[in-house]
Amino acid sequence: MDEYMYFVCFLLVLGVRVNAEIERPRGVSISMASKYEPNDKQTFQCLDGSAQIPYEHLNDDYCDCADGSDEPGTSACTNGRFHCTNAGYTPKNIQSSRVNDGVCDCCDGSDEYEGKIECVNNCKELGKKLREEQDEKRRLHEEGFKKREGFIAEASTLMEGKKLKIKELETEKAEIQEKLKELEARKTEAEGPEKEAKDKHEQAWKEQKDAREKERQAGKAREAFDDLDLNKDGFVDVFEIIPHLEFDIDSNGIVSEEEAKEHLEDHEKVDYEEFSSKIWGNIHSIYKKLVPDEPQQVTPPPVEPQGDTGVPVPTEEPQEESAEEDKMPEYDEETKALIAAADEARKNYEEADKRSRDIDGEITTLTSYLNTDYGKDQAYAVLRDNCYEYTDREYTYKLCPFSTASQRPKSGGHETNLGRWGRWENDKTQVYDHGQNCWNGPDRSVKIHITCGPDHQLTNAYEPSRCEYAFDFITPCACDQHSQPQVKNLHEEL
């Protein structure tokens, strides 16, 4: 049974009377046929109501109606419309001026009835191809729709899991907070004796160092006093200070008596006791031992003693001995034990405190995930934490749904932030904004145009306006009932 007879049978089932040829003027669709039926007066009312003409003036190749409705089957009216029935394919309307113009506009060839050109009726072939395309679109949509249903179920399970995880973390956080109070008390309890023992040890060491330093300074004071006491009378007087230019207060190259006396605390002379207790503390940082004008005889360095093997025996360096003396001795065993106990208490507290802060971070991340709008039925949640790329001749574009959009040069280089997740503009368009600022322009932004497809894929990227980008993204998440492809009726009219 051919398509025409199939459609006739379909109409008969509906109780519609079908003739082999439906009475209607050429170029008129079935839906408009009733408006072209002759009335009792055998006249035709122009569809715009502008005039009424004899019925036989229809399609007489002369335009009588202002709207061209009297010449649907000729090219007489420039504003007329000719209807292509295109049985087996989709019907369409063309401008009447294209009727009999030598070009086949209708797949059934009905627009070239004068025979200027022979038109092949290929409506069945086009209809077959269209049905195949529609079937494929429908198949892909059904495939995507099934995946979407699975994503919705997966999202529901995922959301419930995250909510449960938050409750578990909050319970753990409460337990840790109680534990922290106990651990902090233990830490404080352990740190008290530790501090007391360390302070005691360090104070003893400080006193020992101070005594050593005092002894060292006393020796230096004795040496300096003896050097300054040129006449060896047991006193350092003003005239023994004057040769030392380091005591030149006004830097005129001469030490006056007044300057010398000022360094001796206004005394004419002082003995060693007063020098060491009052004077030396003020001058020790600037004092320099006098060097005789005449060159001193250089004494050759002593020959180091040789061992049995003839190798020089190293001697101790005074500096190393001094550095060793300045190093604080180890704590005693009792103090070490107190430090170890305090370290353990601190470690336990810090580990619990770190876990508490980590829990806060996990809860923040989970809450952010749950508060994100993943579209109707949370279908788009499956895209979270995934990224998709598209590469053109110059750039590679990347979309990480509900996070960021970016681009980088195809040849490699710095990645440019095009925008961060912002909002849904509608149920099939996302907005990512506040991207990297364009030089002398706005912040970059991206609109993601989403359509139904069997897989998640970024299919295109372009820049409609300066610094305003657009991505095309297909995903099963968009395969809802509203996105189901509309199937065209191939047998709409005969």
Side-chain angles (χ1 to χ4, degrees), residues 24 28-36 83 93 492-493:
R24 52 188 166 119
V28 176
S29 66
I30 290 179
S31 61
M32 295 293 291
S34 62
K35 297 183 182 295
Y36 284 84
H83 181 76
N93 294 319
E492 185 174 344
E493 296 183 351

Side-chain angles (χ1 to χ4, degrees), residues 288-307:
K288 295 179 182 178
K289 186 175 181 180
L290 282 178
V291 178
D293 292 337
E294 64 275 12
Q296 295 182 348
Q297 184 177 0
V298 178
T299 304
V303 178
E304 296 178 350
Q306 305 291 314

Side-chain angles (χ1 to χ4, degrees), residues 25-28 36 44 46-47 53-83 94-97 99 113:
R26 188 189 302 275
V28 176
Y36 284 84
F44 172 74
C46 297
L47 297 184
I53 63 173
Y55 193 78
E56 62 266 20
H57 287 186
L58 287 174
N59 283 336
D60 65 351
D61 208 21
Y62 182 82
C63 195
D64 298 292
C65 297
D67 62 356
S69 57
D70 63 311
E71 297 295 321
T74 74
S75 59
C77 299
T78 57
N79 59 342
R81 306 294 291 176
F82 178 88
H83 181 76
I94 64 172
Q95 292 180 340
S96 294
S97 60
V99 174
Y113 56 85

Side-chain angles (χ1 to χ4, degrees), residues 302-366:
V303 178
E304 296 178 350
Q306 305 291 314
D308 295 338
T309 61
V311 178
V313 178
T315 58
E316 283 190 354
E317 293 290 336
Q319 293 82 357
E320 292 182 4
E321 184 177 348
S322 176
E324 188 66 27
E325 288 179 356
D326 288 340
K327 183 179 177 181
M328 186 177 74
E330 287 188 0
Y331 295 110
D332 58 41
E333 293 304 318
E334 183 179 354
T335 302
K336 287 180 180 179
L338 292 173
I339 293 173
D343 285 343
E344 181 68 18
R346 277 189 291 268
K347 175 174 170 287
N348 293 337
Y349 176 84
E350 288 166 2
E351 287 177 352
D353 183 61
K354 181 180 182 299
R355 178 56 187 155
S356 177
R357 286 182 278 110
D358 288 345
I359 288 175
D360 288 339
E362 290 182 50
I363 291 176
T364 298
T365 300
L366 290 168

Side-chain angles (χ1 to χ4, degrees), residues 155-279:
S156 178
T157 302
L158 187 64
M159 297 292 177
E160 290 303 316
K162 291 185 180 297
K163 290 176 183 177
L164 179 61
K165 182 63 176 177
I166 288 177
K167 289 182 179 179
E168 292 174 353
L169 289 171
E170 288 174 341
T171 300
E172 184 183 355
K173 174 72 181 292
E175 293 172 354
I176 289 179
Q177 289 301 108
E178 288 299 317
K179 186 179 179 181
L180 274 173
K181 294 177 183 177
E182 178 185 344
L183 291 174
E184 186 174 21
R186 291 180 183 176
K187 181 171 78 76
T188 302
E189 182 181 354
E191 286 177 336
E194 176 202 37
K195 184 177 184 304
E196 183 178 346
K198 288 174 70 176
D199 288 349
K200 181 179 179 181
H201 178 89
E202 290 165 10
Q203 180 60 32
W205 168 238
K206 182 178 181 300
E207 291 174 357
Q208 183 179 346
K209 283 202 305 180
D210 291 346
R212 187 181 297 126
E213 179 62 20
K214 186 176 181 180
E215 182 179 347
R216 185 182 295 119
Q217 288 299 329
K220 289 183 177 181
R222 177 80 261 181
E223 182 181 353
F225 183 86
D226 291 342
D227 289 340
L228 288 168
D229 184 13
L230 297 175
N231 59 10
K232 307 302 180 185
D233 63 350
F235 293 92
V236 172
D237 59 30
V238 169
F239 297 103
E240 290 170 324
I241 292 291
I242 288 175
H244 289 261
L245 293 179
E246 64 267 28
F247 299 127
D248 178 14
I249 297 175
D250 57 11
S251 301
N252 63 355
I254 299 173
V255 179
S256 65
E257 290 186 29
E258 289 76 12
E259 289 173 328
K261 193 173 182 181
E262 183 173 339
H263 284 97
L264 291 177
E265 300 292 331
D266 290 331
H267 295 293
E268 292 292 334
K269 60 181 181 179
V270 294
D271 59 12
Y272 173 73
E273 182 178 351
E274 192 163 7
F275 178 85
S276 61
S277 62
K278 296 180 179 180
I279 308 302

Side-chain angles (χ1 to χ4, degrees), residues 380 383 399 405 421 423-432 445-453 455-465 468-475 478:
Y380 291 83
L383 301 176
L399 171 65
W421 162 247
R423 66 189 184 280
W424 288 93
E425 187 171 86
N426 54 56
D427 63 344
K428 294 293 189 297
T429 305
Q430 293 181 342
V431 177
Y432 291 69
S445 62
V446 188
K447 284 189 177 181
I448 314 298
H449 301 292
I450 305 172
T451 54
C452 170
D455 299 297
H456 310 304
Q457 186 178 359
L458 189 61
T459 60
N460 197 12
Y462 44 102
E463 190 176 1
S465 302
E468 294 180 359
Y469 297 79
F471 289 178
D472 292 337
F473 185 70
I474 62 172
T475 171

